[in-house]
């Protein structure tokens, strides 16, 4: 067995296909003057073909409801659209007399190095996107097939040193049972696409591409992050059984996904989806979501050089509001900063970006940008049931400032006779310890709360959510985190306001009993988690899980609480890992 990083859940057993990206023969210069025009034309044609290919992938992905894939390919289109990027390639041909493919490679290497040096993990990950786009252009210049997977004709497990996001986006789901790579991590774009497309994947498997030969049998365990090469009969039997169980479980969940999320004794919880695009909204409805609990609007701002306009944002929010109507859509205002950045907002280098200029802090200091977003959200509120949600609020003053800007935007729209929902709700994300402790204060001017456990946990435990070494502390079952969750719920209920949780904890069926027992009214999660959380809720007794939550709150450690949940009969709710 080789251990790696679980990148996308699921189990697959199949024959290995080792993917070797074909070596490109780069022609050496210098070019004759007479050849320059020709090479410039080749570059322009290859750019155009690349844009057409990417548009086709985006269209196909949008039709298939694959929002994540479409979004990543849109990012690639935005990079190709950058004039200075192409100008540098042209300069390589004109001034340095390089062949077109060599000029593209030079520019690619330069920007890959720039991104790879960046402190921000997200930006470092973009080096792979640059390499991917440039390789597409190079292949189009020299006329080799862009999709090297064309050689795969039978179902197999794909083994590669690395897979670019567009390689992953183009994998044929009927042929690629799973994939294993040496490079990449669970937040790489390839991992995100694999998860969204339901292809099990394990990354970070040392030397896997050289340890295997074509035709070897491989078991890929995307839950545990394991690969078994040419397994013995006993391991194979075990995995055949686990795989059969996994398939059966998914079929049952799929059949029951539209049943009401109600405990055996009739307590109803509302299940909502976390989305990042219009396409994700369709997946939410298909999986039984009764609205959107978190629209991560930063994805609209990412991968582009210019800020999205009011009309552009209005169109997106209006579409989501319309498709979800009458269900609610909580649109979170921009949460950029921390591990998320975009070329269209200049965030100067910070030593502690998670503690720095992030989310509402940026919005409040960039008032015009914030007003553009608020006006777009308000205009869309005339077309559905929209709520506004502010991220990373740490004190009442920030909430007041945000609400003042909201009022100002309402007045402007009113003066211009533009429709909006005058009673639109404005809520606060409880994701800083300061907000959780001051929940009673914030409740005076917020109409609802949504608990972001991903950040709340990292800030309460003072443990970076991206740092593997301190991940043992990033446990939302920690008594300190649970007490704050309980406090926010109690303060919210005192004012009869509903309270939601939209951090990853909400989508983990192992946590469902305690979350329902603590009294959360709404749970918001990625669309694919809704069926298993629904199933978990339907097995609960509200009375029993209330007692379970009270008991959990008396315990000393996260391990003790996890033990309590595992020992209770609710733990048969299959978690994301078995
Ligand atoms: C959270 O912090 O729990 C949350 C939902 O926000 P994000 O993961 O986008 O920071
Ligand atoms: Mg957060």
């Amino acid at each position: 067995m080789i251990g790696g990083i679980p990148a996308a859940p699921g189990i697959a057993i199949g024959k290995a296909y080792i993917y070797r990206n074909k070596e490109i023969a780069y022609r050496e210069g210098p070019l004759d003057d007479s050849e320059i025009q020709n090479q410039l034309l080749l570059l322009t044609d290859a750019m155009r073909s690349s844009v057409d290919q990417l548009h086709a992938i985006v269209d196909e992905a949008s039709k298939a409801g694959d929002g994540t894939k479409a979004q990543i390919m849109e990012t690639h289109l935005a990079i190709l659209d950058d004039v200075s990027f192409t100008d540098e390639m042209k300069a390589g041909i004109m001034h340095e007399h390089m062949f077109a493919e060599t000029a593209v490679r030079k520019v690619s290497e330069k920007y890959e190095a720039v991104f790879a040096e960046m402190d921000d993990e997200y930006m470092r990950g973009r080096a792979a996107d640059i390499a991917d786009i440039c390789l597409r252009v190079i292949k189009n210049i020299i006329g080799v097939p862009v999709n090297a997977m064309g050689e795969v004709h039978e179902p197999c497990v794909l083994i590669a040193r690395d897979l670019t996001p567009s390689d992953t986006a183009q994998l044929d789901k009927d042929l690629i049972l799973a994939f294993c790579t040496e490079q990449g991590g669970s937040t790489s774009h390839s991992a995100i696409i694999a998860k969204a497309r339901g292809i099990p994947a394990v990354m970070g498997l040392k030397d896997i591409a050289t340890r295997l030969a074509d035709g070897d049998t491989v078991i890929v365990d995307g839950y545990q992050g394991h690969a078994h090469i040419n397994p013995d009969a006993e391991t194979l039997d075990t995995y055949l059984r686990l795989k059969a169980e996994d398939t059966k479980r998914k079929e049952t969940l799929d059949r029951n996904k539209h049943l009401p999320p109600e405990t055996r004794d009739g307590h109803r919880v509302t299940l909502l989806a976390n989305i990042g695009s219009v396409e994700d909204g369709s997946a939410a409805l298909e999986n039984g979501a009764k609205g959107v609990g978190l629209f991560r609007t930063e994805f609209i701002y990412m991968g582009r050089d210019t800020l999205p306009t009011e009309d552009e944002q209005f169109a997106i929010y209006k579409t989501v509001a319309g498709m979800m109507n009458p269900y609610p859509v909580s649109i979170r205002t921009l949460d950029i900063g921390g591990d998320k950045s975009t070329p269209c907002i200049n965030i100067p280098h910070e030593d502690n970006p998670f503690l720095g200029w992030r989310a509402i802090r940026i919005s409040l200091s960039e008032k015009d940008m914030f007003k553009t977003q608020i006006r777009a959200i308000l205009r869309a509120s005339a077309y559905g049931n929209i709520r506004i949600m502010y991220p990373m609020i740490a004190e009442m003053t920030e909430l007041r400032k945000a609400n003042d800007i909201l009022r100002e935007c309402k007045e402007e729209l009113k003066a211009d006779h533009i429709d909006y929902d005058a009673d639109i709700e404005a809520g606060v994300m409880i994701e800083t310890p300061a907000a959780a402790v001051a929940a009673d204060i914030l409740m005076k001017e917020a109409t609802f709360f949504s608990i972001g456990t991903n950040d709340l946990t990292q800030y309460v435990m003072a443990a970076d959510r991206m740092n593997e070494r301190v991940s043992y502390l990033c446990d939302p079952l920690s008594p300190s985190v649970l007490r704050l969750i309980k406090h926010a719920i109690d303060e919210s209920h005192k004012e009869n306001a509903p309270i939601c949780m939209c951090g990853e904890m909400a989508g983990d069926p192992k946590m469902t009993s305690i979350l329902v027992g603590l009294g959360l009214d709404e749970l918001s999660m990625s669309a694919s988690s809704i069926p298993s959380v629904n199933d978990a809720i339907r097995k609960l007794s509200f009375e029993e899980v209330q007692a379970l939550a009270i008991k959990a709150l008396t315990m000393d450690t996260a391990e003790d609480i996890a033990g309590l949940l595992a020992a209770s009969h609710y733990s048969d709710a299959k978690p994301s890992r078995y």
Side-chain angles (χ1 to χ4, degrees):
M1 189 274 287
I2 319 180
I5 300 165
I11 296 168
I13 303 168
K15 299 280 178 209
Y17 168 78
I18 320 290
Y19 171 55
R20 292 178 190 88
N21 217 340
K22 295 274 172 293
E23 281 294 304
I24 310 254
Y26 291 91
R27 287 168 294 172
E28 289 300 325
L31 286 173
D32 283 344
D33 283 348
S34 59
E35 225 346 77
I36 289 180
Q37 204 49 35
N38 227 350
Q39 292 299 311
L40 285 171
L41 277 177
L42 265 179
L43 175 65
T44 317
D45 281 352
M47 285 286 189
R48 202 172 301 127
S49 308
S50 303
V51 168
D52 290 347
Q53 288 157 2
L54 287 169
H55 274 303
I57 301 175
V58 170
D59 285 351
E60 206 179 294
S62 303
K63 273 187 214 130
D66 192 342
T68 314
K69 176 173 160 187
Q71 215 157 39
I72 291 170
M73 292 301 116
E74 296 266 23
T75 312
H76 285 196
L77 276 167
I79 297 173
L80 270 185
D81 203 32
D82 184 338
V83 181
S84 57
F85 192 59
T86 27
D87 278 354
E88 278 191 53
M89 295 171 184
K90 287 182 186 158
I93 300 173
M94 289 188 297
H95 308 310
E96 293 176 54
H97 290 229
M98 292 176 184
F99 278 90
E101 70 273 15
T102 316
V104 178
R105 185 185 63 178
K106 260 292 219 0
V107 174
S108 176
E109 285 170 354
K110 174 181 153 188
Y111 284 103
E112 280 174 63
V114 171
F115 279 97
E117 291 274 292
M118 291 188 178
D119 288 337
D120 181 309
E121 183 173 334
Y122 176 82
M123 293 310 279
R124 274 202 306 279
R126 301 294 64 76
D129 290 313
I130 300 278
D132 192 11
I133 296 154
C134 290
L135 187 62
R136 175 182 295 279
V137 177
I138 290 168
K139 285 179 175 174
N140 280 319
I141 291 171
I142 56 183
V144 307
V146 172
N147 184 3
M149 304 298 165
E151 292 167 15
V152 176
H153 301 294
E154 282 174 18
C156 65
V157 172
L158 189 71
I159 311 290
R161 269 181 46 70
D162 194 14
L163 281 184
T164 64
S166 54
D167 283 338
T168 314
Q170 286 179 66
L171 294 180
D172 182 341
K173 254 195 87 174
D174 294 331
L175 292 178
I176 307 300
L177 305 170
F179 69 81
C180 296
T181 60
E182 293 178 7
Q183 291 168 9
S186 58
T187 59
S188 68
H189 267 153
S190 290
I192 295 169
I193 296 180
K195 266 182 228 149
R197 303 195 63 206
I199 302 176
V202 179
M203 293 180 165
L205 288 162
K206 202 164 178 299
D207 299 331
I208 186 97
T210 41
R211 285 166 79 164
L212 272 170
D214 282 324
D216 279 349
T217 299
V218 202
I219 297 173
V220 181
D221 182 339
Y223 292 107
Q224 312 271 17
H226 294 164
H228 298 262
I229 303 169
N230 293 326
D232 57 31
E234 198 184 327
T235 311
L236 195 59
D237 274 358
T238 307
Y239 270 96
L240 283 169
R241 183 177 50 75
L242 285 172
K243 189 170 154 45
E245 281 172 17
D246 203 39
T247 310
K248 230 168 122 185
R249 184 176 67 85
K250 283 185 188 145
E251 283 167 4
T252 313
L253 290 176
D254 210 51
R255 267 197 308 278
N256 296 339
K257 67 188 177 189
H258 292 292
L259 294 175
E262 198 171 277
T263 61
R264 297 191 325 262
D265 46 352
H267 175 77
R268 182 73 74 95
V269 181
T270 304
L271 296 186
L272 305 168
N274 292 350
I275 67 166
S277 65
V278 172
E279 289 76 13
D280 288 348
S282 316
L285 288 170
E286 272 162 33
N287 281 287
K290 294 288 182 272
V292 169
L294 169 63
F295 185 167
R296 287 186 162 101
T297 58
E298 51 277 11
F299 287 110
I300 301 169
Y301 292 66
M302 277 154 80
R304 52 186 293 158
D305 293 325
T306 53
L307 289 168
T309 63
E310 183 181 316
D311 283 347
E312 220 176 303
Q313 294 190 60
F314 164 65
I316 296 170
Y317 304 150
K318 180 183 165 194
T319 308
V320 175
M323 71 201 278
M324 290 291 158
N325 208 15
Y327 300 134
V329 177
S330 292
I331 301 186
R332 176 172 77 179
T333 62
L334 182 65
D335 179 12
I336 212 80
D339 62 332
K340 289 176 270 190
S341 54
T342 165
C344 64
I345 301 172
N346 179 28
I347 304 175
H349 171 82
E350 296 181 336
D351 285 339
N352 293 302
F354 274 112
L355 299 181
W357 204 47
R358 187 188 162 190
I360 197 72
R361 302 168 182 193
I362 296 184
S363 294
L364 292 178
S365 63
E366 300 293 310
K367 190 173 166 192
D368 289 345
M369 183 178 81
F370 191 40
K371 279 182 73 177
T372 303
Q373 180 169 37
I374 297 284
R375 283 174 58 98
I377 298 173
L378 279 173
R379 283 170 58 194
S381 69
Y383 299 87
N385 181 2
I386 287 184
R387 308 165 174 173
I388 292 182
M389 191 157 83
Y390 304 125
M392 224 195 148
I393 292 283
E395 56 169 10
M396 183 66 144
T397 309
E398 284 178 327
L399 173 59
R400 286 196 176 138
K401 282 187 184 159
N403 276 339
D404 284 345
I405 293 172
L406 175 63
R407 261 188 297 276
E408 195 177 312
C409 292
K410 283 182 177 178
E411 277 157 24
E412 285 174 10
L413 293 181
K414 198 169 166 191
D416 291 342
H417 306 288
I418 299 173
D419 283 347
Y420 63 91
D421 173 6
D423 299 320
I424 190 166
E425 292 198 33
V428 162
M429 282 201 61
I430 300 292
E431 50 184 354
T432 66
V437 171
D440 53 329
I441 301 175
L442 295 172
M443 222 337 103
K444 293 180 192 166
E445 296 189 23
T447 57
F448 68 93
F449 286 156
S450 185
I451 305 176
T453 44
N454 308 339
D455 277 317
L456 184 62
T457 307
Q458 79 162 340
Y459 292 133
V460 170
M461 303 306 288
D464 184 344
R465 69 195 245 195
M466 316 284 282
N467 185 338
E468 259 180 48
R469 287 194 179 151
V470 294
S471 60
Y472 72 96
L473 285 168
C474 274
D475 189 336
L477 286 181
S478 145
S480 316
V481 181
L482 277 190
R483 286 174 191 201
L484 288 180
I485 293 174
K486 169 86 168 74
H487 178 62
I489 295 172
D490 289 347
E491 293 305 325
S492 193
H493 284 171
K494 271 189 206 160
E495 296 301 321
N496 291 321
I499 181 159
C500 180
M501 176 179 284
C502 61
E504 290 303 298
M505 185 185 198
D508 184 344
K510 274 184 298 178
M511 304 291 162
T512 307
S513 57
I514 188 155
L515 297 183
V516 174
L518 284 168
L520 282 153
D521 304 291
E522 300 169 352
L523 298 174
S524 189
M525 63 204 74
S526 76
S528 59
S529 302
I530 294 175
S532 37
V533 171
N534 189 355
D535 179 66
I537 291 172
R538 293 179 57 77
K539 291 183 172 135
L540 301 177
S541 142
F542 186 46
E543 206 185 318
E544 285 172 17
V545 291
Q546 280 180 307
L548 179 95
I550 291 170
K551 177 144 191 224
L553 285 164
T554 65
M555 301 184 107
D556 296 342
T557 67
E559 291 74 34
D560 292 345
I561 299 169
L564 174 76
L565 301 190
S568 75
H569 56 278
Y570 316 109
S571 61
D572 72 336
K574 268 284 184 236
S576 46
R577 292 168 180 221
Y578 47 83

